[in-house]
Amino acid sequence: MSCPRSGRVPAPRRGIVLYMVVAIVLMMTLLTYGFLLSMQTENMAAGQAGDQLRARQAAFSAREIVCWLMEQDYASRRGFGGLVDNPNRLRDIRLVFENEEFDPWTARGFVMANPRDKRFGVENQSAKINLGTLLAMDSASPGSARQVLMRLPAMTESVADRMMDWMDEDDQPREFGAESDFYLENFGYPARNGLPESLQEFERIPEVTAELLFGQRAEEADVERKQDTGSFETILIQGQTDEPVKAWSDYLTLRSGERNESFDGRPRINLNEPDLFALHAELLEWVDLETANFVILARQYGIQPDPVATSGTSRSGLQSPSQFTPDWTLPAEFELGSPLDLIGAVVAMGDAEEEVEGSDGTSGRTLIRSPFSGATTTNSDLLENLLDRTTTQAGQVIEGRVNILLAPREVLLSVPGIDEELASRIIANRENSMQTAKTCFWLLSTRLINMEQMKVIAPHVTQRGEVCRFLFGGWSDSASAPLVYETLIDATGGSARQVECRKIFETRAIHDFFRSGMKR
């Protein structure tokens, strides 16, 4: 007889394993999706970083092109199309990688003065008033600096005098100015009594604001934007008009200069070289014996006006300098103020104390005529070469001269000898000379001025300048906005040297302008 089975019935299976498998699969799916989403985000971030890197490389490639051009002689720069406004060369600078898989259109660079001017080029600092030169001018002619500064928009006499007192070395306040005792008493800091490190330093002077200095608008109220714009001049923002709003930084600079070299890049001959024998040999490599001898005689005996022009004396009494061999034992006792001093001049050889003075003031002395006559119609090439190839300033750099081809009216009026009428004539006629003239001699050859006016103006003006401020940027087709930087480059030493460089805040105007200007 078999034993009966237990009365317990096994519990039915409810598919727990299936549930577990589904849960695990779901978790794996979610993890996989999260991983894929993360990788997609990382991939996008990497792509954007690559776009930004290509844009940055394009930007700095554009800067290097400008630096290379600034190192070239003036003739080469003109052949390239210049740096003032050259959209064909500076608007769309393609960045091509060695890896051919990159589309050369992927990243492009650009260079421009500022978004207000909408000009693909640079801001030549020689088109502005050099504050160091302004200080020297005011020392020679007290009160002249105030007259110059009063031509700036919204300038007042008190601010003009305070700006000069801030920079000059003395502690004597001007009529409407203030010196260190005023600043110490009211603000706790002294006046600098020297050139400021930047134009922004003038904000420490009462009544001087960032808007006056740099054209910043009241709409730019947020702190980040004000900090980021810094010294960037007159940035347009959304809602502003396109009318140029000039700020003081459009007219003033702390740094400007040019290389003391000829149009084709050769060092100029210094007519005030103390070694007369070396000077004579150097001149003979460029000019004839007559001209070389006259320069040496002018350095030994000095020069005076042509008696033919001043008293009507017959030119038959004037002798050629080629007939005389310089006495190398005589030292150089005189210096020339300008190469133009040689034009229409004579050298009187002899001892003035032993002569009997005649009607022309030179009786008993041998008169040597200049190979450069006062006429400008027959020897314009010779006279322009004289200004181009020679100098009376030692050193490799000439600082502070005003570029008459680019300077606005207010800056032109700061040049000794240029008044309102002449400034208007220069502005009306200079465009034709931008692509032809090697020197400022065109002022004389076009009869805008006479020789006497030219001799006054010439030491203070130029057509060049190797210190430039500009914006440079890079654009990538897939990037949302361009990378834009502001820099100041100084190439007066031969090699381009970056003095300032910083990324600037992107405004709507910059974005829109580059997006429209950089289309394929």
Side-chain angles (χ1 to χ4, degrees):
M1 185 173 168
S2 61
C3 295
R5 294 185 178 180
S6 174
R8 296 181 57 187
V9 178
R13 296 181 179 179
R14 301 182 181 273
I16 186 64
V17 175
L18 180 61
Y19 290 143
M20 292 179 63
V21 170
V22 171
I24 292 172
V25 170
L26 180 61
M27 290 177 62
M28 293 292 292
T29 302
L30 290 175
L31 288 173
T32 303
Y33 177 76
F35 177 76
L36 292 176
L37 185 62
S38 175
M39 290 299 98
Q40 184 180 21
T41 303
E42 291 292 331
N43 184 57
M44 292 175 61
Q48 291 178 356
D51 290 339
Q52 290 291 299
L53 179 60
R54 287 193 290 272
R56 187 178 186 277
Q57 292 298 100
F60 281 87
S61 296
R63 184 200 63 179
E64 289 306 307
I65 288 178
V66 175
C67 289
W68 171 75
L69 280 171
M70 291 176 64
E71 293 174 352
Q72 307 307 306
D73 57 68
Y74 194 63
S76 299
R77 273 180 277 167
R78 179 178 288 181
F80 183 83
L83 285 171
V84 177
D85 188 13
N86 193 352
N88 292 333
R89 297 295 189 99
L90 300 178
R91 181 179 64 180
D92 193 1
I93 303 170
R94 307 178 191 179
L95 183 65
V96 180
F97 295 87
E98 293 183 2
N99 190 339
E100 297 181 356
E101 71 177 87
F102 288 105
D103 182 353
W105 286 102
T106 300
R108 292 158 287 163
F110 44 80
V111 174
M112 70 179 306
N114 56 60
R116 181 195 62 241
D117 290 345
K118 298 182 179 179
R119 174 166 52 86
F120 288 95
V122 303
E123 271 191 335
N124 193 320
Q125 298 300 285
S126 292
K128 302 179 182 181
I129 300 167
N130 186 299
L131 291 175
T133 302
L134 188 63
L135 272 174
M137 179 195 304
D138 195 69
S139 297
S141 178
S144 59
R146 184 204 291 174
Q147 296 178 7
V148 170
L149 292 175
M150 285 300 295
R151 296 190 181 99
L152 304 187
M155 180 62 72
T156 64
E157 290 182 324
S158 61
V159 171
D161 279 1
R162 287 177 179 180
M163 288 177 67
M164 295 306 298
D165 280 335
W166 184 270
M167 295 187 294
D168 64 24
E169 296 181 352
D170 61 58
D171 288 318
Q172 182 65 35
R174 298 163 194 259
E175 182 180 2
F176 304 105
E179 285 289 355
S180 291
D181 52 355
F182 168 79
Y183 293 99
L184 287 170
E185 180 180 351
N186 293 278
F187 306 105
Y189 54 79
R192 174 171 288 276
N193 287 341
L195 286 176
E197 294 182 356
S198 69
L199 294 180
Q200 195 167 6
E201 189 176 309
F202 285 128
E203 292 185 45
R204 310 190 80 179
I205 298 175
E207 301 179 48
V208 178
T209 65
E211 183 178 354
L212 289 171
L213 282 170
F214 307 114
Q216 292 176 342
R217 292 291 192 168
E219 293 93 329
E220 295 176 288
D222 60 280
V223 176
E224 180 181 0
R225 178 173 294 180
K226 283 193 173 183
Q227 289 176 342
D228 215 331
T229 51
S231 64
F232 175 52
E233 303 173 12
T234 318
I235 294 181
L236 295 175
I237 61 174
Q238 186 177 10
Q240 287 186 210
T241 67
D242 289 334
E243 290 296 322
V245 180
K246 293 289 187 178
W248 294 350
S249 55
D250 290 298
Y251 305 101
L252 304 176
T253 184
L254 293 166
R255 186 188 298 268
S256 65
E258 62 194 284
R259 294 192 291 269
N260 197 2
E261 64 183 26
S262 65
F263 180 75
D264 56 3
R266 288 177 287 182
R268 287 191 175 114
I269 301 172
N270 182 10
L271 298 179
N272 288 327
E273 164 68 46
D275 187 339
L276 295 183
F277 189 80
L279 173 60
H280 190 264
E282 196 173 5
L283 285 169
L284 285 178
E285 295 180 1
W286 169 58
V287 295
D288 55 21
L289 180 64
E290 182 181 37
T291 303
N293 283 358
F294 185 80
V295 172
I296 302 304
L297 295 174
R299 295 289 310 284
Q300 292 175 329
Y301 295 97
I303 58 176
Q304 53 188 276
D306 189 343
V308 174
T310 57
S311 61
T313 302
S314 172
R315 186 171 291 277
S316 61
L318 303 181
Q319 300 188 42
S320 170
S322 61
Q323 300 175 1
F324 299 87
T325 300
D327 183 355
W328 301 112
T329 63
L330 295 178
E333 296 188 0
F334 300 89
E335 287 193 349
L336 299 172
S338 164
L340 293 176
D341 290 347
L342 298 172
I343 299 176
V346 298
V347 170
M349 296 178 60
D351 191 346
E353 296 181 356
E354 296 179 0
E355 69 185 32
V356 178
E357 185 174 341
S359 59
D360 62 359
T362 58
S363 298
R365 305 179 74 179
T366 301
L367 299 183
I368 312 298
R369 61 173 172 79
S370 170
F372 302 100
S373 70
T376 61
T377 56
T378 58
N379 57 5
S380 58
D381 290 340
L382 181 62
L383 296 183
E384 183 166 40
N385 285 332
L386 176 68
L387 284 176
D388 181 45
R389 292 295 309 277
T390 65
T391 182
T392 55
Q393 300 189 42
Q396 298 180 348
V397 179
I398 302 176
E399 296 183 348
R401 299 205 297 186
V402 171
N403 187 314
I404 59 172
L405 294 180
L406 304 174
R409 178 186 300 273
E410 293 83 355
V411 177
L412 288 176
L413 292 173
S414 71
V415 177
I418 296 183
D419 56 18
E420 290 279 358
E421 181 182 356
L422 180 54
S424 297
R425 295 204 304 269
I426 291 174
I427 293 172
N429 290 273
R430 64 187 179 183
E431 184 175 354
N432 294 332
S433 300
M434 286 188 179
Q435 300 301 325
T436 56
K438 294 193 297 185
T439 71
C440 297
F441 181 74
W442 63 271
L443 294 172
L444 190 63
S445 61
T446 56
R447 302 186 184 280
L448 291 180
I449 58 177
N450 57 36
M451 180 59 72
E452 292 306 313
Q453 291 174 302
M454 186 69 184
K455 288 181 179 180
V456 174
I457 294 171
H460 309 286
V461 296
T462 182
Q463 296 198 157
R464 309 177 190 179
E466 274 75 52
V467 182
C468 296
R469 183 180 295 277
F470 58 93
L471 304 181
F472 66 96
W475 180 275
S476 178
D477 282 350
S478 54
S480 59
L483 291 177
V484 184
Y485 302 82
E486 183 189 30
T487 189
L488 180 69
I489 300 295
D490 185 342
T492 55
S495 298
R497 180 171 62 92
Q498 183 170 272
V499 180
E500 302 172 10
C501 182
R502 63 187 183 82
K503 185 178 179 181
I504 67 170
F505 186 84
E506 181 215 341
T507 67
R508 177 64 178 272
I510 295 176
H511 181 277
D512 290 347
F513 177 65
F514 284 124
R515 181 171 289 279
S516 62
M518 296 296 293
K519 290 181 179 179
R520 295 185 184 183

